[in-house]
């Protein structure tokens, strides 16, 4: 059931993005009286799942969920149908339209994608507000794992700036550090600036959760027990662990480390309960867990900011730019030889696996609509950027050729357009096969 919901979310999100993107091409094409022969959600090589011709346009749904397309008469596109291009240009064809009209038609898709992200982010800010974890409320030192220490952090460091900028949002702090070049911390009463080590970033990307290398420290107070054996051994919600395995415990991460060291054997605990110390003996699994959590304490660092309708318009724009900026910055990690971020790049299977769901106490799952729309907005602004990359086969390739024509005063020769489009299509198909093949390999090997 959970997998079915995740697949549904993925298909719904992609369908919304593709249909609106293609409408961004379709509507200005119609406005400029250009014939649109096909409008398809998903690709339809060899056959389509459904199709219907209305007027001069065939509307359909393909079987290959890698995007969609509109086939505009008189245009060299993904279909590589060049037969009609051998005939004289007709007034209703794309190639017969002025360059400025063709430019608007080609930019329509990415424009819609950006505005869609803007609208979604604006609505999320207006209806839900924005909840973030404020690092200025954290009084204790941050907890740095071995990954953070490999980057250059030391126990006791208080983070002041990331690449010269203050970042008080804990949700963004980890990502900013991964994307950073320099960190400024308060260490032993002095400001220290160091370059973030790529070896540490490489370790972060090998981890299941790349951003979990630093967390705020808090007391080892138990607020959730999911393992019946732990409850039977005497541990209760509200207990504060003060000693584990003979080691004094001040923070929850220290307690976690002590439990991991006792994997497969009981651990002796001392807990503070109702003002007195209780001694317990708790069984530890072979994986080094006892089935407890202490995440509710993090809520004291949370703050929710609400926005008026007017404010949410500006905030929607800002969030769209922030989302795009973060994604562009991640390119340097993808192509970094040490970090090898490309190993974390996933395709449709990886995206489906990571689609968020809400899980009830009875085990049933449902769609987390806030997370769904956040993902859709992020993906929309990302598609806008990717489609603007000047590669033949993408909107950006057509835009570059059109701009060349507007600057030089004459169109690019038809044969060059055809050859460039062919190279672009082959490249994009190869890239899609590589990403999809990587997904399948990771799924088979269990590394997805």
């Amino acid at each position: 059931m959970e997998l079915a919901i995740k697949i549904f979310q993925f298909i719904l999100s992609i369908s919304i993005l593709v249909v609106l993107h293609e409408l961004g091409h379709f509507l200005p094409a119609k406005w400029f009286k250009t014939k649109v022969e096909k409008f398809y959600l998903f690709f339809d090589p060899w056959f389509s799942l459904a199709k219907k011709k209305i007027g001069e346009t065939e509307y359909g749904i393909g079987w290959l969920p890698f995007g969609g397309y509109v086939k505009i008469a008189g245009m060299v596109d993904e279909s590589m149908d060049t037969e009609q291009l051998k005939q004289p240009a007709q007034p209703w064809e794309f190639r017969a339209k002025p360059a400025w009209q063709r430019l608007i038609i080609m930019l329509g898709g990415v424009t819609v994608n950006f505005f869609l992200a803007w609208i979604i982010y604006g609505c999320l800010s207006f209806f839900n507000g924005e909840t973030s974890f404020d690092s200025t409320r954290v009084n204790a030192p941050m907890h740095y794992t071995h990954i953070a220490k490999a980057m250059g952090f030391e126990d006791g460091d208080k983070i002041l700036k990331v690449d010269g900028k203050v970042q008080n949002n804990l949700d963004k702090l980890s990502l900013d550090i991964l994307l950073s070049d320099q960190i400024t911390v308060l260490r032993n009463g002095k400001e220290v600036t160091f370059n973030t080590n790529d070896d540490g970033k490489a370790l972060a990307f090998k981890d299941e959760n790349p951003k979990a290398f630093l967390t705020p420290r808090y007391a080892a107070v138990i607020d959730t027990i999911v393992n019946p054996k732990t409850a039977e051994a005497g541990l209760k919600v509200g207990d504060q662990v003060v000693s584990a395995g003979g080691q004094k415990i001040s923070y929850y991460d220290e307690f976690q480390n002590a439990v991991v060291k006792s994997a497969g054997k009981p651990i002796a605990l001392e807990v503070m309960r109702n003002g007195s110390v209780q001694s317990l003996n708790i069984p530890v699994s072979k994986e080094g867990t006892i089935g407890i959590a202490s995440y509710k304490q993090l809520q004291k660092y949370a703050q929710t900011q609400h926005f008026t309708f007017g404010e949410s318009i500006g905030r929607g724009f800002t969030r769209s730019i922030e989302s795009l900026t973060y994604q562009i910055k991640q390119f340097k990690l993808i192509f970094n030889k040490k970090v090898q971020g490309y190993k974390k790049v996933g395709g449709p299977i990886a995206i489906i696996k990571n689609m968020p769901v809400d899980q009830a106490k009875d085990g049933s799952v449902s769609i987390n609509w806030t997370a769904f729309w956040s993902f859709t907005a992020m993906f929309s602004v990302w598609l806008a950027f990717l489609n603007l990359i000047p590669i033949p086969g993408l909107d950006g390739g057509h835009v570059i050729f059109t701009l060349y024509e507007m600057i030089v005063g004459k169109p690019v020769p038809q044969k060059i357009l055809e050859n460039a489009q062919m190279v672009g299509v082959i490249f994009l198909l190869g890239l899609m096969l590589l990403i999809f093949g990587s997904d399948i390999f990771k799924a088979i090997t269990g590394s997805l």
Side-chain angles (χ1 to χ4, degrees):
M1 183 62 179
E2 180 177 342
L3 178 60
I5 289 178
K6 288 185 174 185
I7 293 173
F8 170 77
Q9 287 186 88
F10 174 74
I11 293 176
L12 177 61
S13 180
I14 293 299
S15 298
I16 292 170
L17 296 176
V18 169
V19 168
L20 292 179
H21 177 92
E22 299 308 333
L23 272 175
H25 297 306
F26 178 84
L27 293 178
K30 289 299 227 180
W31 180 265
F32 294 129
K33 295 180 170 52
T34 310
K35 183 179 179 180
V36 180
E37 298 174 350
K38 288 186 175 184
F39 186 119
Y40 262 75
L41 168 63
F42 305 148
F43 294 118
D44 61 327
W46 304 297
F47 69 93
S48 59
L49 298 178
K51 61 181 179 180
K52 182 176 178 60
K53 190 164 187 178
I54 302 175
E56 63 184 13
T57 306
E58 177 184 298
Y59 300 87
I61 301 175
W63 60 271
L64 191 61
F66 284 149
Y69 69 96
V70 288
K71 187 175 186 304
I72 300 175
M75 176 182 173
V76 181
D77 58 14
E78 299 88 341
S79 68
M80 295 308 300
D81 181 6
T82 58
E83 284 303 313
Q84 65 181 213
L85 302 181
K86 297 176 182 178
Q87 307 299 322
Q90 301 299 317
W92 37 264
E93 287 186 336
F94 180 81
R95 55 182 170 154
K97 302 301 178 182
W100 67 271
Q101 291 186 6
R102 285 183 274 126
L103 185 64
I104 291 174
I105 292 171
M106 293 317 306
L107 287 174
V110 297
T111 302
V112 167
N113 276 139
F114 182 81
F115 274 96
L116 175 62
W118 184 350
I119 291 168
I120 292 174
Y121 278 132
C123 288
L124 288 172
S125 296
F126 178 68
F127 290 108
N128 296 353
E130 294 179 40
T131 300
S132 60
F133 292 88
D134 187 356
S135 63
T136 61
R137 298 186 179 189
V138 181
N139 296 320
M142 297 291 285
H143 168 56
Y144 300 106
T145 67
H146 69 287
I147 293 174
K149 290 176 181 177
M151 290 185 198
F153 289 98
E154 294 181 7
D155 288 330
D157 282 352
K158 181 178 181 181
I159 301 170
L160 301 178
K161 295 178 182 178
V162 181
D163 282 338
K165 297 179 181 179
V166 176
Q167 177 57 273
N168 292 329
N169 188 332
L170 280 172
D171 294 325
K172 297 178 180 178
L173 184 58
S174 296
L175 182 56
D176 281 350
I177 290 172
L178 278 175
L179 300 173
S180 71
D181 295 314
Q182 286 189 331
I183 305 292
T184 301
V185 299
L186 186 64
R187 180 180 295 169
N188 300 322
K190 296 180 181 179
E191 281 196 17
V192 177
T193 299
F194 61 88
N195 295 327
T196 45
N197 193 312
D198 285 344
D199 291 330
K201 295 177 183 178
L203 287 174
F205 268 78
K206 289 177 182 177
D207 195 72
E208 279 294 317
N209 186 355
K211 296 191 292 183
F213 56 85
L214 81 165
T215 55
R217 278 191 140 174
Y218 48 89
V221 178
I222 311 303
D223 60 39
T224 304
I225 299 176
V226 296
N227 187 342
K229 291 182 179 179
T230 298
E232 291 170 5
L235 194 64
K236 295 183 178 181
V237 170
D239 285 349
Q240 180 173 347
V241 180
V242 295
S243 173
Q247 173 191 344
K248 183 181 176 182
I249 299 297
S250 299
Y251 302 109
Y252 185 72
D253 60 90
E254 294 176 334
F255 174 45
Q256 284 182 307
N257 291 335
V259 171
V260 170
K261 290 177 182 177
S262 297
K265 57 185 179 181
I267 184 170
L269 303 183
E270 287 186 344
V271 301
M272 184 67 70
R273 182 186 301 165
N274 299 325
S276 63
V277 176
Q278 306 284 327
S279 297
L280 304 171
N281 213 35
I282 306 297
V284 182
S285 71
K286 293 180 180 179
E287 293 76 27
T289 63
I290 59 174
I292 55 95
S294 185
Y295 61 88
K296 292 181 181 178
Q297 290 185 74
L298 287 173
Q299 297 305 315
K300 67 183 179 182
Y301 303 131
Q303 60 177 6
T304 301
Q305 183 177 0
H306 298 281
F307 299 86
T308 65
F309 180 76
E311 290 171 337
S312 66
I313 296 174
R315 183 57 188 154
F317 178 82
T318 302
R319 289 180 71 177
S320 299
I321 297 299
E322 285 178 353
S323 175
L324 180 58
T325 301
Y326 272 120
Q327 292 176 75
I328 293 174
K329 282 183 176 180
Q330 290 180 59
F331 269 110
K332 71 178 183 180
L333 294 181
I334 292 174
F335 298 109
N336 186 297
K337 291 182 179 179
K338 284 188 176 180
V339 177
Q340 297 180 330
Y342 61 86
K343 291 184 177 179
K344 284 285 184 178
V345 175
I349 296 176
I351 294 173
I352 290 171
K353 180 186 175 184
N354 291 297
M355 290 298 287
V357 294
D358 280 335
Q359 191 157 9
K361 291 182 179 180
D362 61 2
S364 61
V365 293
S366 58
I367 297 175
N368 183 324
W369 286 107
T370 299
F372 169 82
W373 287 115
S374 294
F375 167 81
T376 302
M378 177 276 295
F379 209 11
S380 187
V381 75
W382 183 233
L383 287 177
F385 170 74
L386 288 181
N387 270 283
L388 272 181
I389 296 176
I391 297 175
L394 295 177
D395 296 344
H398 293 287
V399 168
I400 288 296
F401 287 132
T402 306
L403 288 175
Y404 172 87
E405 178 183 341
M406 295 173 73
I407 294 170
V408 176
K410 59 180 181 180
V412 176
Q414 192 67 36
K415 197 64 180 177
I416 292 179
L417 288 177
E418 292 176 15
N419 291 336
Q421 186 72 13
M422 177 66 74
V423 171
V425 168
I426 292 173
F427 170 77
L428 293 173
L429 286 174
L431 185 62
M432 284 192 292
L433 288 173
L434 179 64
I435 293 174
F436 198 74
S438 175
D439 269 6
I440 295 173
F441 175 77
K442 290 176 182 177
I444 293 173
T445 59
S447 59
L448 186 64

